[in-house]
Short mmCIF file of all heavy atoms in Angstrom, two decimals:
data_model
loop_
_atom_site.label_atom_id
_atom_site.label_comp_id
_atom_site.label_asym_id
_atom_site.label_seq_id
_atom_site.Cartn_x
_atom_site.Cartn_y
_atom_site.Cartn_z
N LEU A 1 -21.00 -13.00 -7.26
CA LEU A 1 -19.96 -12.09 -7.76
C LEU A 1 -19.87 -10.85 -6.89
O LEU A 1 -18.77 -10.32 -6.65
CB LEU A 1 -20.19 -11.70 -9.22
CG LEU A 1 -19.15 -10.82 -9.84
CD1 LEU A 1 -17.79 -11.53 -9.89
CD2 LEU A 1 -19.56 -10.35 -11.19
N TYR A 2 -20.97 -10.35 -6.39
CA TYR A 2 -20.95 -9.22 -5.49
C TYR A 2 -20.03 -9.51 -4.30
O TYR A 2 -19.18 -8.69 -3.97
CB TYR A 2 -22.36 -8.86 -5.01
CG TYR A 2 -22.39 -7.93 -3.84
CD1 TYR A 2 -22.03 -6.59 -4.00
CD2 TYR A 2 -22.73 -8.36 -2.56
CE1 TYR A 2 -22.01 -5.73 -2.95
CE2 TYR A 2 -22.74 -7.45 -1.48
CZ TYR A 2 -22.39 -6.14 -1.70
OH TYR A 2 -22.37 -5.27 -0.65
N ALA A 3 -20.25 -10.65 -3.67
CA ALA A 3 -19.39 -11.05 -2.55
C ALA A 3 -17.91 -11.16 -2.91
O ALA A 3 -17.02 -10.74 -2.20
CB ALA A 3 -19.89 -12.35 -1.92
N ALA A 4 -17.69 -11.71 -4.12
CA ALA A 4 -16.30 -11.88 -4.57
C ALA A 4 -15.63 -10.53 -4.74
O ALA A 4 -14.40 -10.36 -4.43
CB ALA A 4 -16.26 -12.66 -5.89
N THR A 5 -16.37 -9.53 -5.26
CA THR A 5 -15.73 -8.19 -5.42
C THR A 5 -15.44 -7.56 -4.08
O THR A 5 -14.42 -6.87 -3.91
CB THR A 5 -16.63 -7.24 -6.26
OG1 THR A 5 -17.87 -7.06 -5.62
CG2 THR A 5 -16.86 -7.82 -7.66
N LYS A 6 -16.27 -7.84 -3.08
CA LYS A 6 -16.03 -7.23 -1.77
C LYS A 6 -14.82 -7.92 -1.09
O LYS A 6 -14.02 -7.26 -0.42
CB LYS A 6 -17.28 -7.39 -0.90
CG LYS A 6 -18.40 -6.38 -1.29
CD LYS A 6 -17.91 -4.97 -1.17
CE LYS A 6 -18.98 -3.93 -1.43
NZ LYS A 6 -18.49 -2.56 -1.26
N ARG A 7 -14.71 -9.19 -1.28
CA ARG A 7 -13.52 -9.89 -0.74
C ARG A 7 -12.29 -9.43 -1.46
O ARG A 7 -11.20 -9.24 -0.85
CB ARG A 7 -13.67 -11.42 -0.89
CG ARG A 7 -12.52 -12.23 -0.29
CD ARG A 7 -12.46 -12.11 1.18
NE ARG A 7 -11.32 -12.87 1.72
CZ ARG A 7 -10.28 -12.33 2.41
NH1 ARG A 7 -10.30 -11.02 2.64
NH2 ARG A 7 -9.34 -13.07 2.84
N ALA A 8 -12.39 -9.21 -2.75
CA ALA A 8 -11.26 -8.66 -3.51
C ALA A 8 -10.85 -7.29 -2.98
O ALA A 8 -9.65 -6.99 -2.90
CB ALA A 8 -11.61 -8.58 -4.99
N ASN A 9 -11.81 -6.46 -2.60
CA ASN A 9 -11.49 -5.15 -2.02
C ASN A 9 -10.65 -5.32 -0.79
O ASN A 9 -9.69 -4.55 -0.58
CB ASN A 9 -12.79 -4.39 -1.67
CG ASN A 9 -13.54 -3.87 -2.83
OD1 ASN A 9 -14.67 -3.40 -2.65
ND2 ASN A 9 -12.99 -3.93 -4.02
N GLU A 10 -10.99 -6.29 0.04
CA GLU A 10 -10.19 -6.51 1.27
C GLU A 10 -8.75 -6.90 0.96
O GLU A 10 -7.82 -6.37 1.61
CB GLU A 10 -10.89 -7.62 2.11
CG GLU A 10 -12.26 -7.22 2.60
CD GLU A 10 -12.99 -8.37 3.29
OE1 GLU A 10 -12.43 -9.51 3.32
OE2 GLU A 10 -14.08 -8.17 3.83
N LEU A 11 -8.58 -7.72 -0.04
CA LEU A 11 -7.22 -8.14 -0.41
C LEU A 11 -6.45 -6.98 -1.06
O LEU A 11 -5.23 -6.80 -0.80
CB LEU A 11 -7.28 -9.32 -1.38
CG LEU A 11 -7.98 -10.56 -0.84
CD1 LEU A 11 -8.12 -11.64 -1.91
CD2 LEU A 11 -7.20 -11.14 0.37
N MET A 12 -7.12 -6.20 -1.90
CA MET A 12 -6.47 -5.04 -2.50
C MET A 12 -6.05 -4.02 -1.43
O MET A 12 -4.96 -3.45 -1.47
CB MET A 12 -7.44 -4.38 -3.49
CG MET A 12 -7.76 -5.23 -4.72
SD MET A 12 -9.27 -4.69 -5.61
CE MET A 12 -8.68 -3.16 -6.32
N ALA A 13 -6.93 -3.81 -0.47
CA ALA A 13 -6.64 -2.89 0.61
C ALA A 13 -5.40 -3.32 1.38
O ALA A 13 -4.56 -2.48 1.79
CB ALA A 13 -7.85 -2.76 1.56
N HIS A 14 -5.29 -4.61 1.66
CA HIS A 14 -4.12 -5.10 2.38
C HIS A 14 -2.83 -4.82 1.57
O HIS A 14 -1.80 -4.42 2.15
CB HIS A 14 -4.23 -6.58 2.71
CG HIS A 14 -3.06 -7.07 3.52
ND1 HIS A 14 -1.92 -7.57 2.96
CD2 HIS A 14 -2.83 -7.06 4.86
CE1 HIS A 14 -1.04 -7.90 3.85
NE2 HIS A 14 -1.55 -7.60 5.04
N CYS A 15 -2.89 -5.04 0.31
CA CYS A 15 -1.73 -4.81 -0.55
C CYS A 15 -1.24 -3.33 -0.40
O CYS A 15 -0.05 -3.09 -0.23
CB CYS A 15 -2.00 -5.12 -2.01
SG CYS A 15 -2.18 -6.85 -2.38
N TYR A 16 -2.20 -2.39 -0.52
CA TYR A 16 -1.82 -1.00 -0.43
C TYR A 16 -1.37 -0.61 0.97
O TYR A 16 -0.44 0.24 1.13
CB TYR A 16 -2.98 -0.11 -0.90
CG TYR A 16 -2.92 0.15 -2.40
CD1 TYR A 16 -3.19 -0.90 -3.32
CD2 TYR A 16 -2.53 1.38 -2.89
CE1 TYR A 16 -3.13 -0.69 -4.68
CE2 TYR A 16 -2.46 1.60 -4.28
CZ TYR A 16 -2.76 0.55 -5.14
OH TYR A 16 -2.66 0.77 -6.54
N ALA A 17 -1.98 -1.18 1.99
CA ALA A 17 -1.51 -0.94 3.36
C ALA A 17 -0.10 -1.43 3.55
O ALA A 17 0.76 -0.78 4.18
CB ALA A 17 -2.46 -1.54 4.35
N HIS A 18 0.18 -2.59 2.99
CA HIS A 18 1.52 -3.23 3.12
C HIS A 18 2.55 -2.49 2.33
O HIS A 18 3.63 -2.16 2.81
CB HIS A 18 1.43 -4.69 2.70
CG HIS A 18 2.78 -5.36 2.61
ND1 HIS A 18 3.46 -5.74 3.73
CD2 HIS A 18 3.55 -5.66 1.53
CE1 HIS A 18 4.63 -6.31 3.36
NE2 HIS A 18 4.67 -6.27 2.05
N LEU A 19 2.27 -2.16 1.07
CA LEU A 19 3.25 -1.55 0.17
C LEU A 19 3.50 -0.09 0.49
O LEU A 19 4.62 0.36 0.39
CB LEU A 19 2.77 -1.68 -1.28
CG LEU A 19 2.77 -3.12 -1.87
CD1 LEU A 19 2.06 -3.11 -3.20
CD2 LEU A 19 4.19 -3.64 -1.97
N TYR A 20 2.45 0.63 0.85
CA TYR A 20 2.54 2.08 0.93
C TYR A 20 2.28 2.67 2.33
O TYR A 20 2.30 3.87 2.53
CB TYR A 20 1.62 2.73 -0.06
CG TYR A 20 1.79 2.24 -1.48
CD1 TYR A 20 0.80 1.49 -2.12
CD2 TYR A 20 3.02 2.42 -2.17
CE1 TYR A 20 0.96 1.01 -3.40
CE2 TYR A 20 3.19 1.91 -3.47
CZ TYR A 20 2.15 1.17 -4.06
OH TYR A 20 2.36 0.67 -5.33
N GLY A 21 1.94 1.79 3.26
CA GLY A 21 1.72 2.23 4.65
C GLY A 21 0.43 3.03 4.86
O GLY A 21 0.32 3.77 5.82
N ILE A 22 -0.57 2.87 3.92
CA ILE A 22 -1.84 3.55 4.08
C ILE A 22 -2.68 2.81 5.12
O ILE A 22 -3.01 1.66 4.93
CB ILE A 22 -2.62 3.62 2.74
CG1 ILE A 22 -1.77 4.24 1.64
CG2 ILE A 22 -3.93 4.29 2.96
CD1 ILE A 22 -2.35 4.05 0.28
N PRO A 23 -3.06 3.49 6.22
CA PRO A 23 -3.93 2.85 7.19
C PRO A 23 -5.32 2.58 6.61
O PRO A 23 -5.97 3.52 6.12
CB PRO A 23 -4.01 3.84 8.35
CG PRO A 23 -2.78 4.69 8.20
CD PRO A 23 -2.56 4.81 6.69
N VAL A 24 -5.75 1.34 6.57
CA VAL A 24 -6.95 0.96 5.88
C VAL A 24 -7.81 0.03 6.81
O VAL A 24 -7.28 -0.94 7.34
CB VAL A 24 -6.66 0.17 4.59
CG1 VAL A 24 -7.93 -0.17 3.86
CG2 VAL A 24 -5.77 1.02 3.65
N THR A 25 -9.08 0.38 6.90
CA THR A 25 -10.00 -0.43 7.71
C THR A 25 -11.22 -0.79 6.85
O THR A 25 -11.86 0.08 6.28
CB THR A 25 -10.50 0.35 8.95
OG1 THR A 25 -9.38 0.74 9.76
CG2 THR A 25 -11.41 -0.54 9.80
N GLY A 26 -11.52 -2.09 6.77
CA GLY A 26 -12.70 -2.58 6.10
C GLY A 26 -13.77 -2.95 7.07
O GLY A 26 -13.53 -3.54 8.14
#
């Protein structure tokens, strides 16, 4: 589950980068 939450963070970050133009690096 730890790994799943970290992968989820990556997907969430992409959504916000795409929708709002926030530069995000994981």
Side-chain angles (χ1 to χ4, degrees):
L1 183 63
Y2 168 69
T5 62
K6 287 300 185 178
R7 182 67 182 118
N9 287 171
E10 296 174 355
L11 299 175
M12 294 162 71
H14 183 270
C15 288
Y16 270 72
H18 172 75
L19 291 171
Y20 308 114
I22 303 168
V24 181
T25 302

